[in-house]
């Protein structure tokens, strides 16, 4: 088996597991970018998504001017293609990180690129909460904070897990795109060490590893969402 693999995937074998061109290094870089971008972008997405809900005209704290500003900010960043966003905020990345290249530098555009998508997903998930539950909580004297944390975020828990899963999968794709321009990871492996060097076996294996990561995220997210849904029903 080892001899067959070495014969049909010579470039994959020659790159090894560790080192700058190693496969473990590439996988770790992808996980690193995905994890931290999900944290930073996720926090921003939750905040903006909640604000879009509560400041809407039919929200619990209606404020049309503030809603309009937040809505347009989210729409603007969501409309910009990620590859253009990478170049557009490069000066900001330079100021924050000190460089425009590498896995850490990629966290800035990745976080900015994913938060508007997640904010819309959060908004839709929270809007799916039954208004009867909201009215019941209000009649019992619940404050706005109680409604946000005790009702909206709690009742929409399983749906929030589902949209978070979708966002994570999208983020893995963005890390691959960022890797293609020097951020490292499996995207960089597929393009720089695969496509650009006509090493099709490297491109194939990098693609398979990305697909495996996506499938793992999807399965874990689905199981977690079902568990949360059953817990809510119980």
């Amino acid at each position: 088996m080892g001899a067959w693999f070495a014969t049909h995937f010579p470039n994959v074998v020659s790159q090894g597991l560790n080192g700058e061109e190693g496969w473990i290094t590439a996988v770790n870089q992808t996980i690193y970018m995905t994890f931290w971008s999900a944290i930073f972008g996720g926090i921003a997405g939750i905040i903006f998504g909640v604000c879009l809900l509560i400041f809407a005209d039919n929200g619990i704290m209606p404020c049309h001017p503030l809603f309009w500003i937040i809505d347009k900010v989210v729409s603007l960043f969501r409309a910009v293609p990620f590859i253009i966003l990478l170049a557009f905020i490069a000066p900001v990345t330079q100021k924050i990180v000190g460089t425009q290249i590498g896995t850490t530098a990629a966290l800035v555009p990745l976080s900015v690129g994913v938060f508007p998508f997640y904010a819309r997903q959060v908004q839709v998930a929270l809007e799916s909460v039954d208004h009867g539950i909201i009215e019941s909580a209000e009649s019992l004297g619940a404050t706005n904070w109680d409604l946000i944390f005790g009702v909206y975020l709690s009742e929409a828990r399983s749906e929030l897990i589902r949209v978070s899963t979708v966002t994570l999968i999208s983020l893995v794709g963005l890390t691959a795109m960022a890797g293609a321009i020097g951020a490292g990871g499996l995207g960089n492996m597929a393009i720089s060490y695969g496509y650009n060097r006509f090493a099709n076996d490297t491109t194939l294996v990098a693609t398979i590893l990305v697909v495996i990561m996506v499938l793992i995220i999807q399965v874990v997210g689905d199981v977690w969402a079902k568990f949360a849904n059953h817990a809510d029903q119980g």
Side-chain angles (χ1 to χ4, degrees):
M1 183 63 181
W4 178 90
F5 191 85
T7 301
H8 292 84
F9 296 88
N11 297 291
V12 174
V13 173
S14 65
Q15 286 170 242
L17 297 177
N18 300 299
E20 184 179 346
E21 299 182 8
W23 288 97
I24 291 179
T25 301
V27 171
N28 287 340
Q29 288 173 338
T30 297
I31 294 174
Y32 172 82
M33 289 187 288
T34 302
F35 177 81
W36 287 110
S37 299
I39 295 295
F40 299 135
I43 292 174
I46 284 283
I47 293 173
F48 275 75
V50 169
C51 288
L52 287 170
L53 174 81
I54 65 176
F55 293 138
D57 292 338
N58 60 344
I60 59 177
M61 298 170 60
C63 182
H64 185 73
L66 193 54
F67 172 83
W68 186 88
I69 293 172
I70 297 173
D71 181 69
K72 293 301 177 284
V73 168
V74 171
S75 297
L76 176 64
F77 278 100
R78 191 178 179 187
V80 179
F82 183 67
I83 195 70
I84 296 177
L85 184 66
L86 284 169
F88 180 72
I89 68 171
V92 178
T93 303
Q94 180 72 39
K95 292 290 185 181
I96 295 176
V97 184
T99 180
Q100 300 178 17
I101 300 174
T103 53
T104 300
L107 298 181
V108 178
L110 284 170
S111 300
V112 174
V114 79
F115 100 83
F117 175 81
Y118 188 50
R120 288 298 186 196
Q121 297 287 325
V122 169
Q123 179 189 11
V124 172
L126 296 180
E127 287 176 345
S128 68
V129 175
D130 188 352
H131 285 282
I133 299 176
I134 306 300
E135 293 173 355
S136 297
E138 288 177 329
S139 67
L140 294 173
T143 65
N144 289 334
W145 288 109
D146 292 332
L147 292 175
I148 294 171
F149 292 100
V151 180
Y152 277 112
L153 292 177
S154 178
E155 291 295 324
R157 180 168 49 187
S158 61
E159 190 61 29
L160 286 172
I161 294 172
R162 290 190 180 93
V163 300
S164 297
T165 301
V166 173
T167 304
L168 274 174
I169 291 172
S170 176
L171 188 54
V172 171
L174 295 183
T175 64
M177 194 181 302
I181 62 168
L186 292 170
N188 182 61
M189 184 73 77
I191 301 300
S192 299
Y193 300 112
Y195 179 80
N196 290 342
R197 299 182 182 181
F198 303 100
N200 294 331
D201 55 330
T202 295
T203 303
L204 175 62
V205 171
T207 303
I208 291 174
L209 289 175
V210 170
V211 171
I212 291 173
M213 290 181 64
V214 168
L215 290 176
I216 291 173
I217 293 172
Q218 186 68 67
V219 170
V220 172
D222 288 344
V223 171
W224 191 12
K226 289 180 180 178
F227 177 79
N229 190 42
H230 292 158
D232 292 338
Q233 293 177 354

